[in-house]
Amino acid sequence: MQLADLRDRRVAVWGTGREGVAAVRAIAAAGPASLVAVDDRQNFLTKDWSPELAALAPLHAGPSGFDALRAADVVVRSPGVAQTHPWMVQLRAAGTRVTGGTALWMAAHRDVTIGVTGSKGKSTTSSLVSHLLAAAGAPNELGGNIGIPVLDLPPAPAYVLELSAYQCADLDDSPRVAAVTSLFPEHLDWTGGEDEYYRVKLNLVANGPSAVVVHAGSTFVLSELARRFTDLPLHVVGGPDSFHLAGGVFRLGGTPLFPRTALRLLGSHNEANLCVALGVLQAYGVDVAATAPLLEAALAGFAGLPHRLERIEDPSGLTFVDDSLSTIPQAAIHAIEAFRDRPLTVLLGGEDRGVDYSPLREYFAAATTPTTVIGMPDSGARLVGLLAGLPLVTTHVTDSLEEAVTLSRKVTPAGGVVLMSPAAPSYGRFDNYAHRSKVFRQAITDTAP
């Protein structure tokens, strides 16, 4: 279903955030028989509905919004509307057509689109793909979960989308080239369970992509793809016959491309992200070997994304690192690995959604260098308790992020690293990860010597 298919239909847009606003404007231009907006949430996420938007789609707020949804031929839900929402269950049981803005857009643009998903790594990988694609002479627009609703994207010869599970769930079309970076349990409250989370993530590749790029080290992704699909056009990178890092040089098979130093991003996980990005370029039609000098030059200008291993130098000689986007244990482990060569203090904890923190205990139990761990609310105390008794881990529990920063100055040796890689979502006290990052940075300034 495309936007054009909504002409003369009764349409309800469910959600009034950025995605909902983009959907209302795009659908209104398609000429529906009627268009309404629905917001069932009455909390800080509810947005003001301007007179301009109300003229396009009158707003039905609160519980009465279900009647407006039920009266529609098509419901276009925003990504934040959970699969498990009681209204979703009732609408699907009644046979109401439910879709999303990304699905409507993808139906018309799949042939010129690259889609990247994964529990972690998708933002960096999609940004690398867009950056390198442009350097290779292929102009493109970057959007999706990275902050620009696809229905707001301008016309372009190519598109690179970072796609969340929320956005993948309703797709009826796969992009021309798809990449899956990783799969870990996340957003289980939204999907209703771990298997369903993996299903909606991998829905990105369920409808005829020309290529699916996966790193050889992502063994769980490969096993899930093999379990769920047959005859996928898999392009596996990371091995000696494809894009890989060997001897400090990125290579395509036996052909050297450029040195590891060309990639400014830290960590082996970012080496894997670059290999996936190069595989995506090749699958999209770029001759990576021939354009390697252009790609190397472009990498010199790619500094990474905000709130992902951002280093903050401090007058004390400590290096603070903002990795606020780390919201699961596996992401924190990648971050910790990137600083294993220096004395390290790690700030862990956030909203406690009952996440399984056992991967962190397993990681620290196998470590050969000491680490100080400072737990922050809400999950910090539970996490620190899980690490109790490990010989190379010193633990503390604090009542706030600010207190954790103050304590980190006292316990981190000169020249060491203080890494905020929380391994938990930021909601609760903080509006989002950017707000958490802002508080972290302010605490560093307030406690500076």
Side-chain angles (χ1 to χ4, degrees), residues 425-440:
S426 55
Y427 307 114
R429 172 191 169 186
F430 305 109
D431 295 340
N432 50 39
Y433 59 82
H435 182 204
R436 176 163 64 182
S437 170
K438 181 179 179 181
V439 172
F440 177 60

Side-chain angles (χ1 to χ4, degrees), residues 2-28:
Q2 301 183 23
L3 279 168
D5 297 323
L6 299 180
R7 185 173 183 82
D8 299 327
R9 309 283 293 275
R10 295 171 299 173
V11 182
V13 172
W14 187 359
T16 57
R18 282 184 301 185
E19 294 269 358
V21 169
V24 162
R25 288 179 172 147
I27 294 167

Side-chain angles (χ1 to χ4, degrees), residues 101-414:
T102 302
L104 294 169
W105 185 93
M106 186 71 77
H109 297 88
R110 58 173 295 170
D111 292 338
V112 290
T113 299
I114 293 164
V116 181
T117 196
S119 301
K120 288 298 168 187
K122 60 185 180 293
S123 297
T124 296
T125 301
S126 55
S127 298
L128 275 168
V129 169
S130 177
H131 186 72
L132 296 178
L133 200 61
N140 64 90
E141 289 289 333
L142 175 65
N145 191 59
I146 206 159
I148 305 172
V150 296
L151 289 172
D152 278 344
L153 290 172
Y159 299 90
V160 180
L161 305 184
E162 180 208 332
L163 297 172
S164 67
Y166 312 147
Q167 293 162 320
C168 292
D170 295 313
L171 293 179
D172 296 311
D173 303 272
S174 291
R176 175 172 153 190
V177 177
V180 184
T181 59
S182 61
L183 285 176
F184 304 115
E186 195 178 21
H187 303 304
L188 303 188
D189 53 339
W190 188 92
T191 58
E194 187 171 329
D195 190 70
E196 179 65 4
Y197 169 68
Y198 297 147
R199 186 195 70 78
V200 298
K201 272 287 194 188
L202 296 180
N203 191 46
L204 178 69
V205 308
N207 297 285
S210 298
V212 179
V213 183
V214 181
H215 194 277
S218 299
T219 54
F220 185 71
V221 174
L222 291 169
S223 67
E224 282 294 293
L225 291 174
R227 183 169 77 88
R228 296 170 185 273
F229 305 101
T230 58
D231 300 323
L232 273 182
L234 271 178
H235 294 227
V236 181
V237 301
D241 295 330
S242 184
F243 296 99
H244 68 287
L245 179 68
V249 176
F250 285 100
R251 304 172 187 271
L252 173 55
T255 303
L257 300 174
F258 37 74
R260 169 62 176 88
T261 53
L263 178 65
R264 297 171 58 186
L265 308 186
L266 297 173
S268 59
H269 62 297
N270 280 318
E271 296 164 2
N273 289 338
L274 178 56
C275 288
V276 171
L278 295 174
V280 167
L281 262 65
Q282 189 91 335
Y284 198 75
V286 174
D287 187 335
V288 171
T291 57
L294 295 174
L295 302 180
E296 180 179 358
L299 284 171
F302 188 83
L305 302 177
H307 321 304
R308 292 187 185 275
L309 292 181
E310 277 195 285
R311 284 173 285 193
I312 307 165
E313 301 298 333
D314 189 74
S316 66
L318 297 177
T319 299
F320 288 86
V321 179
D322 175 9
D323 195 42
S324 187
L325 266 171
S326 165
T327 57
I328 58 175
Q330 292 83 358
I333 290 169
H334 285 317
I336 293 164
E337 277 291 299
F339 294 98
R340 265 299 174 206
D341 59 339
R342 294 173 65 180
L344 182 62
T345 296
V346 186
L347 313 188
L348 296 173
E351 184 185 26
D352 195 340
R353 292 183 175 179
V355 171
D356 178 13
Y357 287 129
S358 61
L360 275 165
R361 179 176 174 85
E362 292 166 7
Y363 172 79
F364 282 119
T368 58
T369 55
T371 307
T372 298
V373 172
I374 300 177
M376 306 179 294
D378 296 326
S379 60
R382 179 166 72 89
L383 200 155
V384 162
L386 190 68
L387 302 179
L390 296 181
L392 294 178
V393 180
T394 303
T395 60
H396 307 269
V397 178
T398 58
D399 292 328
S400 69
L401 172 53
E402 292 91 339
E403 184 181 332
V405 171
T406 299
L407 179 59
S408 72
R409 287 196 180 276
K410 298 176 181 177
V411 300
T412 308

